[in-house]
Amino acid sequence: MKKMLTIVALVMALMVAGMALASDLPSADVEEQGYDFYADAVQYNDIRESLGAVPMIEDEIVIGFATKTFENEFWRMEKEGAELGAQLFQDAGYNLTVDVRGAQTETDEEGQLTLMLDMVNKGYNAILVSGISAGNLVPGMEAALEAGIDMTTVMDAFVPYASTTVGAWHYQAGVQGAEWIYNKIGGEGKVACITGLSQATAAQARTQGFNDFYSDKDAIEVVAVQNGDWDRQKAYDIAETLLQQYPDLAGIYCNNDTMAMGALEAVIAANSECVIVGTDGTSEAIESIKAGELDATVDFFPSTMGAIGVEIQVRKLAGQEVPKVIYAPQCVRDIENIDMSFADIFGYEYTPIFE
């Protein structure tokens, strides 16, 4: 009995120590409230002017970016945006390098951790992260904190080890996609949702937004919420089956554009009038909307998001205080606004404000 009590006491002590450590993490309060529901979150559009000029840094700056697979166009676009952001700083006189590296596949959690640990070992000044899941980069982020390396999460998989997160408002994206479908189909009918990887926090939040929007819409029947794992073929198969089961299916919201394009192929093959809304704003989705095929996408402007991530990280390295959660610009793109530029939609052309 005495030995058992000692073991219990040890376990309790470790749990308390772990809780204390967790509470000391840079964004512990964000984790407690939830990234998509954080009370002090701000939208970049609202704070752009108040941030003021980026303070000058004379020293050399090397920023790593451990992101997801470049097989997915969204992450390629975000990579291009981060590199564009670096170029803007270089043009303004900063000695800044951004090293962007991606995992081999959508599920290469161990490989992504390995490339992040390499950045830590090389002593980069800061690291941007877009984790595959909420847990796979934790050892690397712990190592970064121990080495005094600040981090910014850029889109997906919020982890409290990063002092700031810049990304999409995932919950709101689900609401925006659901609302667009609701208005398009006249407020009644059968709808479905094809979700991303079950362990991906972005997929969870987008799906929750979709479900919450329809929770009080009595004339809407949500007939299915099925996991497509971010995969085009899986989304095609799901949509094909749904259209066979529900020939009158009115709308499908997909957690990303890759799956939306797969679902669209199934809709075309079935000669269905079902509307499809994706998420991300990839060039394939944009071109498909222009061609009158895909109905809409919740556009996260990934290139701009990547550039904003670099900007916010440089501001922190320069000693400036920034909000812990910054939602990057996003909106629904359809045939009505698909030819509008970023500046036409949001009222400014993106570039950091320099001294």
Side-chain angles (χ1 to χ4, degrees), residues 43 63 65 85 106-107 114 164 175 183 188 222 261 271 297:
Q43 298 191 53
I63 298 175
F65 191 174
E106 288 280 7
T107 58
T114 298
T164 307
V175 172
N183 292 331
E188 61 181 357
V222 179
M261 298 308 297
N271 196 28
T297 181

Side-chain angles (χ1 to χ4, degrees), residues 259-338:
M259 296 189 299
M261 298 308 297
L264 175 64
E265 291 171 7
V267 165
I268 293 173
N271 196 28
S272 170
E273 296 297 317
C274 179
V275 298
I276 304 294
V277 178
T279 312
D280 282 343
T282 62
S283 62
E284 183 182 18
I286 298 300
E287 291 305 315
S288 183
I289 294 170
K290 289 181 179 180
E293 299 166 344
L294 184 65
D295 295 284
T297 181
V298 182
D299 194 345
F300 291 151
F301 300 91
S303 294
T304 302
M305 185 188 300
I308 291 173
V310 172
E311 174 193 342
I312 295 302
Q313 185 59 70
V314 174
R315 288 181 181 277
K316 289 192 292 177
L317 289 173
Q320 188 175 23
E321 289 190 14
V322 300
K324 289 186 177 183
V325 174
I326 301 171
Y327 298 138
Q330 68 186 57
C331 71
V332 175
R333 305 288 297 279
D334 59 16
I335 199 64
E336 299 298 324
N337 65 359
I338 201 63

Side-chain angles (χ1 to χ4, degrees), residues 194 234-244 249 252 262-263 266-267:
I194 302 178
K234 288 184 180 180
Y236 175 92
D237 293 340
I238 290 170
E240 181 182 47
T241 300
L242 288 175
L243 289 167
Q244 291 170 354
L249 187 65
I252 300 175
V267 165

Side-chain angles (χ1 to χ4, degrees), residues 206-275:
R206 293 172 198 175
T207 303
Q208 183 180 344
F210 170 89
N211 286 328
D212 285 355
F213 178 82
Y214 285 124
S215 63
D216 61 351
K217 306 296 188 294
D218 295 336
I220 293 290
E221 181 183 359
V222 179
V223 297
V225 176
Q226 294 191 24
N227 195 330
D229 292 340
W230 307 126
D231 185 82
R232 188 177 188 133
Q233 185 60 49
K234 288 184 180 180
Y236 175 92
D237 293 340
I238 290 170
E240 181 182 47
T241 300
L242 288 175
L243 289 167
Q244 291 170 354
Q245 294 175 332
Y246 309 100
D248 57 345
L249 187 65
I252 300 175
Y253 168 64
C254 298
N255 280 178
N256 76 351
D257 284 338
T258 299
M259 296 189 299
M261 298 308 297
L264 175 64
E265 291 171 7
V267 165
I268 293 173
N271 196 28
S272 170
E273 296 297 317
C274 179
V275 298

Side-chain angles (χ1 to χ4, degrees), residues 81-293:
E83 292 171 343
L84 170 62
Q87 186 63 56
L88 292 172
F89 275 94
Q90 291 165 10
D91 293 345
Y94 292 74
N95 185 2
L96 172 65
T97 301
V98 176
D99 176 18
V100 188
R101 294 189 237 166
Q104 293 298 310
T105 66
E106 288 280 7
T107 58
D108 182 22
E109 297 188 18
E110 184 176 344
Q112 189 184 40
L113 172 60
T114 298
L115 63 86
M116 182 184 180
L117 286 170
D118 182 59
M119 294 173 181
V120 174
N121 291 335
K122 289 180 176 176
Y124 287 0
N125 299 97
I127 301 176
L128 310 180
V129 296
S130 295
I132 291 173
S133 70
N136 74 295
L137 292 182
V138 166
M141 299 182 90
E142 290 176 337
L145 281 184
E146 187 174 349
I149 299 173
D150 186 60
M151 291 166 286
T152 297
T153 298
V154 183
M155 188 69 172
D156 275 2
F158 167 81
V159 181
Y161 294 84
S163 60
T164 307
T165 298
V166 175
W169 190 353
H170 302 293
Y171 177 85
Q172 186 63 17
V175 172
Q176 289 172 309
E179 183 176 25
W180 191 94
I181 292 173
Y182 181 78
N183 292 331
K184 185 69 174 180
I185 66 178
E188 61 181 357
K190 296 181 176 69
V191 299
C193 177
I194 302 178
T195 74
L197 284 168
S198 59
Q199 68 265 38
T201 54
Q204 296 164 8
R206 293 172 198 175
T207 303
Q208 183 180 344
F210 170 89
N211 286 328
D212 285 355
F213 178 82
Y214 285 124
S215 63
D216 61 351
K217 306 296 188 294
D218 295 336
I220 293 290
E221 181 183 359
V222 179
V223 297
V225 176
Q226 294 191 24
N227 195 330
D229 292 340
W230 307 126
D231 185 82
R232 188 177 188 133
Q233 185 60 49
K234 288 184 180 180
Y236 175 92
D237 293 340
I238 290 170
E240 181 182 47
T241 300
L242 288 175
L243 289 167
Q244 291 170 354
Q245 294 175 332
Y246 309 100
D248 57 345
L249 187 65
I252 300 175
Y253 168 64
C254 298
N255 280 178
N256 76 351
D257 284 338
T258 299
M259 296 189 299
M261 298 308 297
L264 175 64
E265 291 171 7
V267 165
I268 293 173
N271 196 28
S272 170
E273 296 297 317
C274 179
V275 298
I276 304 294
V277 178
T279 312
D280 282 343
T282 62
S283 62
E284 183 182 18
I286 298 300
E287 291 305 315
S288 183
I289 294 170
K290 289 181 179 180
E293 299 166 344

